[in-house]
Short mmCIF file of all heavy atoms in Angstrom, two decimals:
data_model
loop_
_atom_site.label_atom_id
_atom_site.label_comp_id
_atom_site.label_asym_id
_atom_site.label_seq_id
_atom_site.Cartn_x
_atom_site.Cartn_y
_atom_site.Cartn_z
N PRO Y 3 -33.23 -31.46 -58.69
CA PRO Y 3 -34.60 -31.74 -59.13
C PRO Y 3 -34.67 -32.35 -60.53
O PRO Y 3 -35.51 -33.20 -60.80
CB PRO Y 3 -35.28 -30.36 -59.08
CG PRO Y 3 -34.48 -29.59 -58.07
CD PRO Y 3 -33.07 -30.07 -58.22
N LEU Y 14 -41.07 -44.82 -64.33
CA LEU Y 14 -42.37 -44.93 -65.00
C LEU Y 14 -42.26 -45.77 -66.27
O LEU Y 14 -43.06 -46.69 -66.49
CB LEU Y 14 -42.89 -43.53 -65.33
CG LEU Y 14 -44.18 -43.46 -66.14
CD1 LEU Y 14 -45.34 -44.06 -65.36
CD2 LEU Y 14 -44.48 -42.02 -66.55
N VAL Y 41 -70.15 -64.78 -62.98
CA VAL Y 41 -70.80 -63.50 -62.71
C VAL Y 41 -71.26 -62.84 -64.00
O VAL Y 41 -72.30 -62.15 -64.04
CB VAL Y 41 -69.85 -62.57 -61.92
CG1 VAL Y 41 -68.62 -62.20 -62.74
CG2 VAL Y 41 -70.58 -61.31 -61.47
N GLU Y 42 -70.53 -63.05 -65.08
CA GLU Y 42 -70.95 -62.51 -66.37
C GLU Y 42 -72.23 -63.17 -66.85
O GLU Y 42 -73.12 -62.50 -67.40
CB GLU Y 42 -69.83 -62.69 -67.40
CG GLU Y 42 -68.58 -61.88 -67.09
CD GLU Y 42 -67.41 -62.21 -67.99
OE1 GLU Y 42 -67.48 -63.23 -68.71
OE2 GLU Y 42 -66.43 -61.45 -67.98
N GLY Y 65 -76.52 -49.87 -79.18
CA GLY Y 65 -76.20 -50.27 -77.82
C GLY Y 65 -75.38 -49.20 -77.10
O GLY Y 65 -75.66 -48.86 -75.95
N PHE Y 91 -75.36 -35.71 -46.36
CA PHE Y 91 -74.80 -34.64 -45.53
C PHE Y 91 -75.47 -33.29 -45.77
O PHE Y 91 -74.84 -32.24 -45.65
CB PHE Y 91 -73.29 -34.52 -45.74
CG PHE Y 91 -72.55 -35.82 -45.61
CD1 PHE Y 91 -71.81 -36.33 -46.67
CD2 PHE Y 91 -72.62 -36.57 -44.44
CE1 PHE Y 91 -71.13 -37.54 -46.55
CE2 PHE Y 91 -71.95 -37.78 -44.32
CZ PHE Y 91 -71.21 -38.26 -45.37
N GLY Y 98 -78.63 -27.35 -63.45
CA GLY Y 98 -77.57 -27.14 -64.44
C GLY Y 98 -76.32 -27.95 -64.15
O GLY Y 98 -75.72 -28.53 -65.05
N VAL Y 108 -70.61 -39.57 -68.12
CA VAL Y 108 -70.99 -40.63 -69.07
C VAL Y 108 -70.09 -40.60 -70.29
O VAL Y 108 -69.81 -41.65 -70.89
CB VAL Y 108 -72.48 -40.49 -69.44
CG1 VAL Y 108 -72.83 -41.42 -70.60
CG2 VAL Y 108 -73.37 -40.80 -68.24
N LEU Y 168 -68.73 -54.74 -73.14
CA LEU Y 168 -68.88 -53.84 -72.01
C LEU Y 168 -68.70 -54.57 -70.68
O LEU Y 168 -67.96 -54.11 -69.80
CB LEU Y 168 -70.28 -53.20 -72.06
CG LEU Y 168 -70.65 -52.27 -70.91
CD1 LEU Y 168 -69.85 -50.97 -70.99
CD2 LEU Y 168 -72.15 -51.98 -70.91
N ILE Y 223 -59.82 -45.90 -59.97
CA ILE Y 223 -60.53 -46.04 -61.25
C ILE Y 223 -60.54 -44.72 -62.01
O ILE Y 223 -60.59 -44.70 -63.24
CB ILE Y 223 -61.97 -46.56 -61.03
CG1 ILE Y 223 -62.67 -46.80 -62.37
CG2 ILE Y 223 -62.77 -45.59 -60.18
CD1 ILE Y 223 -61.92 -47.76 -63.30
N LEU Y 258 -51.49 -44.20 -67.85
CA LEU Y 258 -50.90 -44.61 -69.12
C LEU Y 258 -51.00 -46.10 -69.41
O LEU Y 258 -50.91 -46.52 -70.56
CB LEU Y 258 -49.42 -44.22 -69.14
CG LEU Y 258 -49.10 -42.72 -68.97
CD1 LEU Y 258 -47.60 -42.52 -68.82
CD2 LEU Y 258 -49.63 -41.91 -70.14
N ASN Y 274 -49.72 -59.46 -86.02
CA ASN Y 274 -48.41 -58.88 -86.34
C ASN Y 274 -48.07 -57.88 -85.24
O ASN Y 274 -48.52 -56.73 -85.27
CB ASN Y 274 -48.43 -58.20 -87.71
CG ASN Y 274 -47.05 -57.72 -88.14
OD1 ASN Y 274 -46.12 -57.62 -87.34
ND2 ASN Y 274 -46.90 -57.42 -89.43
N GLY Y 305 -40.42 -14.74 -66.78
CA GLY Y 305 -40.75 -13.69 -65.83
C GLY Y 305 -39.60 -13.46 -64.87
O GLY Y 305 -38.92 -14.41 -64.46
N ILE Y 324 -41.48 -29.26 -59.93
CA ILE Y 324 -41.71 -29.07 -61.36
C ILE Y 324 -41.69 -30.39 -62.14
O ILE Y 324 -42.57 -30.64 -62.96
CB ILE Y 324 -40.69 -28.06 -61.93
CG1 ILE Y 324 -40.99 -26.66 -61.39
CG2 ILE Y 324 -40.72 -28.06 -63.46
CD1 ILE Y 324 -39.99 -25.61 -61.81
N VAL Y 342 -55.54 -33.62 -62.32
CA VAL Y 342 -54.40 -32.69 -62.23
C VAL Y 342 -53.77 -32.77 -60.85
O VAL Y 342 -54.46 -33.01 -59.86
CB VAL Y 342 -54.83 -31.23 -62.52
CG1 VAL Y 342 -55.31 -31.08 -63.95
CG2 VAL Y 342 -55.92 -30.78 -61.55
N GLY Y 356 -48.54 -26.01 -74.34
CA GLY Y 356 -48.17 -27.40 -74.58
C GLY Y 356 -49.26 -28.37 -74.16
O GLY Y 356 -49.56 -29.34 -74.86
N GLY Y 370 -56.94 -42.12 -74.29
CA GLY Y 370 -57.71 -42.72 -73.22
C GLY Y 370 -57.86 -44.22 -73.38
O GLY Y 370 -57.34 -44.82 -74.34
N TYR Y 399 -54.43 -50.60 -95.82
CA TYR Y 399 -53.83 -50.70 -94.49
C TYR Y 399 -54.23 -52.04 -93.89
O TYR Y 399 -55.42 -52.36 -93.82
CB TYR Y 399 -54.29 -49.54 -93.61
CG TYR Y 399 -53.66 -49.52 -92.23
CD1 TYR Y 399 -52.29 -49.63 -92.06
CD2 TYR Y 399 -54.44 -49.36 -91.10
CE1 TYR Y 399 -51.70 -49.60 -90.81
CE2 TYR Y 399 -53.88 -49.32 -89.82
CZ TYR Y 399 -52.51 -49.44 -89.68
OH TYR Y 399 -51.94 -49.41 -88.44
N LYS Y 406 -63.57 -44.54 -100.68
CA LYS Y 406 -64.31 -43.33 -100.32
C LYS Y 406 -65.01 -43.48 -98.96
O LYS Y 406 -64.96 -42.56 -98.14
CB LYS Y 406 -65.35 -43.04 -101.41
CG LYS Y 406 -66.25 -41.86 -101.09
CD LYS Y 406 -67.29 -41.65 -102.18
CE LYS Y 406 -68.24 -40.51 -101.83
NZ LYS Y 406 -69.27 -40.31 -102.88
N PRO Y 443 -57.49 -11.08 -68.12
CA PRO Y 443 -57.73 -10.45 -69.42
C PRO Y 443 -56.75 -10.94 -70.47
O PRO Y 443 -55.86 -11.74 -70.20
CB PRO Y 443 -57.50 -8.96 -69.10
CG PRO Y 443 -56.40 -9.01 -68.06
CD PRO Y 443 -56.66 -10.24 -67.23
N GLY Y 487 -68.26 -34.48 -79.11
CA GLY Y 487 -66.87 -34.94 -79.16
C GLY Y 487 -66.71 -36.41 -78.82
O GLY Y 487 -65.72 -37.04 -79.24
N GLN Y 505 -64.91 -56.27 -96.18
CA GLN Y 505 -63.96 -56.53 -97.26
C GLN Y 505 -63.23 -57.85 -97.07
O GLN Y 505 -63.10 -58.36 -95.95
CB GLN Y 505 -62.91 -55.42 -97.30
CG GLN Y 505 -63.40 -54.03 -97.59
CD GLN Y 505 -62.26 -53.04 -97.68
OE1 GLN Y 505 -61.15 -53.37 -98.14
NE2 GLN Y 505 -62.49 -51.82 -97.23
#
Side-chain angles (χ1 to χ4, degrees):
L14 175 64
V41 64
E42 294 172 347
F91 309 121
V108 170
L168 177 71
I223 184 56
L258 301 172
N274 187 344
I324 290 176
V342 295
Y399 183 50
K406 176 182 177 181
Q505 298 183 34

